[in-house]
Amino acid sequence: MDLLATWHARRRGRPASDLRTISVRGTVLALLLSGAAGCGGGAPDRPAPGFSGELAAGARYVQTLATPRPASTMTDEEVIAAGYVERLRLGLGSPFRLMEYALRDPRLAPGTRAPLLWGLLDATRAGRGYELDPRALARIAGTSGESATAQMHLQLIDGAVRGAADPRSGELAVREAYRLATASRTVSPTAPALAASAAALARDRELARRDAARLLAHAARSGKHPSALLVEWRRARRFEVEAPPGAPRAPALEEAAAEQALALVARVEAVRGASGRAPAARDGLPRLRPAAARRLAKLARAHSYPTQSPVWIAVHRYDEHLRRVARGRAGTRAVERLLKRARTEESLAAEHAVIGAAAEPVRQMVALLVAEVGVGMRAYAQERVWYHGFAAPSTADLKREFGLRGVEFDGDVPLSWRPYYRRVLGDALADLEIAVPSLDLRGAAFRFGSTGKEGVALAIHDPRRRTIHLPPESGAGAIAHEVGHDLDWQVAHARYGTRAAYGTEYAIRNRRGDPFATAVRRMPEPPEVPMRGGPELQRRYAQRPAEIFARTFDGYVAAVLAERGRSNGYLTAAQDEFLGGHGLALLPGARAGAAGPFMEMMTVASPLSDASRREFLAVWGAGRVPSGFEVASRIVKRAGAGPVPGVAVRPAPGMVEMLQAGAAVRAEVAAVIAIRDSVVAEWSAARSANPLSARGSRGEAAVVRLANAAAAARVRGI
């Protein structure tokens, strides 16, 4: 389907199904793509009445790939196929996206693609993907060597998600339970983030398992081959595992999650004192053997697929830590290989397998890295498959369609990658126009290449040249953020007559009575973010108005697209109010009081329709009634979860000291109860002002239970 025809049809209001009558280029491209799929085990003409035999054959094929034998006896195709199996096992993105990549992989012949597809489908249906290494949770209790405890936490998280009526409610329950356990100080401060990653992968495993069963059942009923149906469902965004995590949640789902979280928190806290043998690890798909992994790494380098930002950013993030823990230990060379060569999910899977024999601290750090990549790759779930030679818009197409001044490339960006990045940019800007129909980028330019600030900034907007610099390694997921800076620049130029600054910062310095400046001042300050450069850099970044606006715009785009069932990992890496992505987006639900002033700023920067503004403010504005999870979070945050001041711990306290300590504890507990009462009163006032929203998990009884649980957890911590 032709990209430009899609854009034009969308702008004219024509449905995508009419495109075959609009564009000859689109028809030719569709035929080419269907031919590519057909050559690789795609849909045959005959019906496919039953699939038990094909699934069993696929499972046997996967087993043969893992059969112990010299790697030299494996063909290149078998090594590449084994890499696909390993990527599925590790949970590096949607299994159905992975299957479509396998169907179209030019390195695989039809005789390999067909059994590989059936093997991947069988493994997905059986829930044998997304196999998280328990070492990724080793620090959940605050220490680095708790392997048995980590395995217990993993089993607890998997069971909670698998046992929930809806895996999405199970994921929410896990997040809340670990947040409350952190407030009670029975797990480490990093536990909620670690548990959220594990729950996200467990959720996706369960959704993918259900998707695979639905796909096979529908294929059997309709007579369509599963491979053809797979491509069709991906285009129609019918796979639940590929739906955006930030999509609106039904109140009943949140209510179920809240009830489950209240029961789960006691089990999380009980793990601390558990002893004995850890439960057995879940059986997963056969692991890629080191010798085959080295060949796969070589084949991946020869294939030269463009760098995937979730992989590169995670590797860069763990670079110093990995080098430090590997120094002087076995596996140092393997660590250096991984840091240098892991640039795509395929090369990461290969290098991860090579590092298997490294020292335990190294393996623990690599487990964290792989888990972070797995979560980051969720944003790519709806990605269109791309290989060298696939169609892409030209620079002239992009300039004409979006009014851009130019699309440029640094000389070190391979020529074979440039069509990929042009298509990435075109897809991202087309989706961005869905969220912001009034978007005007006429005169702006994009440049794929280095920023000069690698390691500090993922991408850069240069206000003097009005150029957005997107490094191939880290630019994906940062486009919405940088376009937010460009809108800010447009405000400075059109409203204040300056080209060298951003409107948010110029207004706050020079236009105290201006309505736009007033809206900027009303934006709540976001939390500090983990980034390199020390606390001072973090404070400056968190407080800078231009960054607050760009991060909020990034989150707004992710939220609006999610409401429409869409995601685009090139446009924004944000997933939901908890997982803001590597662009550090601020989603509307992450901060109270941000929606109103942000809408006022957007009225100047890129006006939205009255209907869109009303819809957004109805969901996220000042009149909204917070969920029970938000109420609990506010109690925990206001009460604090750090060391209790004034309670000195001494070996043998005297009676006076004991009484003083008791008084300090009582005062601290009383403060927590007062905070709980205050937050619940605020919620009750919002509910009274907007009674229609008081339903499901926003009902009074559920909110009060979560509020009491949050206060009780904090008191246990004291």
Side-chain angles (χ1 to χ4, degrees), residues 265-623:
V265 64
R267 297 177 61 197
V268 172
E269 292 177 342
V271 172
R272 183 181 187 183
S275 60
R277 183 175 177 272
R282 183 178 63 250
D283 289 335
L285 292 175
R287 295 176 179 274
L288 188 64
R289 297 184 176 277
R294 292 187 182 91
R295 280 188 60 193
L296 177 63
K298 185 176 180 180
L299 290 167
R301 289 198 304 276
H303 183 47
S304 186
Y305 193 85
T307 300
Q308 293 171 309
S309 292
V311 178
W312 185 90
I313 290 169
V315 169
H316 184 72
R317 171 175 157 82
Y318 285 94
D319 184 303
E320 293 178 7
H321 305 289
L322 266 172
R323 292 181 193 277
R324 185 175 65 251
V325 299
R327 191 171 296 122
R329 290 189 168 102
T332 302
R333 290 183 61 187
V335 166
E336 291 296 331
R337 278 176 52 106
L338 184 146
L339 294 175
K340 181 180 179 181
R341 299 177 180 178
R343 293 294 180 265
T344 65
E345 60 195 272
E346 184 174 59
S347 59
L348 175 64
E351 300 301 340
H352 171 265
V354 172
I355 218 165
E360 188 63 23
V362 174
R363 297 182 70 184
Q364 185 183 119
M365 196 68 66
V366 172
L368 281 167
L369 187 159
V370 172
E372 185 169 311
V373 173
V375 174
M377 289 299 295
R378 298 170 96 204
Y380 278 36
Q382 295 181 2
E383 177 197 41
R384 292 195 295 156
V385 171
W386 185 88
Y387 282 110
H388 301 311
F390 278 28
S394 66
T395 296
D397 290 333
L398 294 173
K399 290 168 67 176
R400 181 172 58 253
E401 181 66 22
F402 299 107
L404 303 179
R405 188 178 78 249
V407 178
E408 305 164 347
F409 295 88
D410 280 3
D412 57 355
V413 178
L415 292 174
S416 61
W417 290 10
R418 298 183 186 188
Y420 168 80
Y421 289 117
R422 289 198 301 270
R423 197 184 79 169
V424 162
L425 180 60
D427 284 354
L429 296 182
D431 279 348
L432 187 54
E433 284 189 340
I434 295 173
V436 188
S438 61
L439 182 71
D440 185 356
L441 293 177
R442 288 175 295 178
F446 286 82
R447 185 176 185 87
F448 291 90
S450 105
T451 63
K453 295 187 177 181
E454 282 71 18
V456 177
L458 300 178
I460 284 180
H461 178 271
D462 181 353
R464 291 175 176 80
R465 296 179 177 84
R466 202 186 170 197
T467 298
I468 292 174
H469 295 265
L470 299 171
E473 299 83 7
S474 61
I479 293 177
H481 183 106
E482 301 308 326
V483 169
H485 281 314
D486 191 76
L487 293 181
D488 201 354
W489 178 91
Q490 291 182 46
V491 172
H493 174 53
R495 192 177 183 91
Y496 304 123
T498 177
R499 292 174 176 267
Y502 294 113
T504 51
E505 297 178 346
Y506 183 90
I508 210 167
R509 287 196 304 265
N510 303 300
R511 299 296 178 97
R512 190 161 288 275
D514 184 90
F516 183 79
T518 301
V520 174
R521 290 191 178 89
R522 287 176 53 218
M523 284 289 286
E525 185 175 309
E528 293 183 5
V529 294
M531 59 184 294
R532 295 186 179 189
E536 183 57 34
L537 176 61
Q538 293 182 24
R539 278 192 295 273
R540 288 205 309 270
Y541 182 86
Q543 296 170 1
R544 187 180 175 190
E547 290 300 336
I548 294 173
F549 177 76
R551 291 170 64 196
T552 306
F553 179 78
D554 188 356
Y556 167 78
V557 169
V560 172
L561 288 179
E563 288 173 3
R564 291 157 175 76
R566 302 176 72 96
S567 67
N568 186 318
Y570 305 110
L571 181 59
T572 172
Q575 297 183 27
D576 56 32
E577 70 276 12
F578 193 92
L579 300 171
H582 49 253
L584 306 173
L586 294 167
L587 273 82
R591 294 173 302 155
F598 176 70
M599 281 291 101
E600 293 175 22
M601 294 163 69
M602 284 297 293
T603 299
V604 177
S606 189
L608 304 170
S609 69
D610 290 341
S612 296
R613 290 182 71 255
R614 285 196 300 269
E615 179 183 354
F616 181 78
L617 291 174
V619 176
W620 303 110

Side-chain angles (χ1 to χ4, degrees), residues 664-716:
V665 168
R666 286 194 298 274
E668 196 73 16
V669 170
V672 171
I673 301 305
I675 289 170
R676 180 203 62 186
D677 293 343
S678 172
V679 172
V680 171
E682 292 171 7
W683 179 88
S684 297
R687 177 175 180 253
S688 298
N690 192 0
L692 293 179
S693 68
R695 55 193 176 90
S697 66
R698 292 167 171 80
E700 184 172 9
V703 170
V704 169
R705 284 197 297 274
L706 275 172
N708 288 337
R714 185 64 193 102
V715 168
R716 290 196 298 277

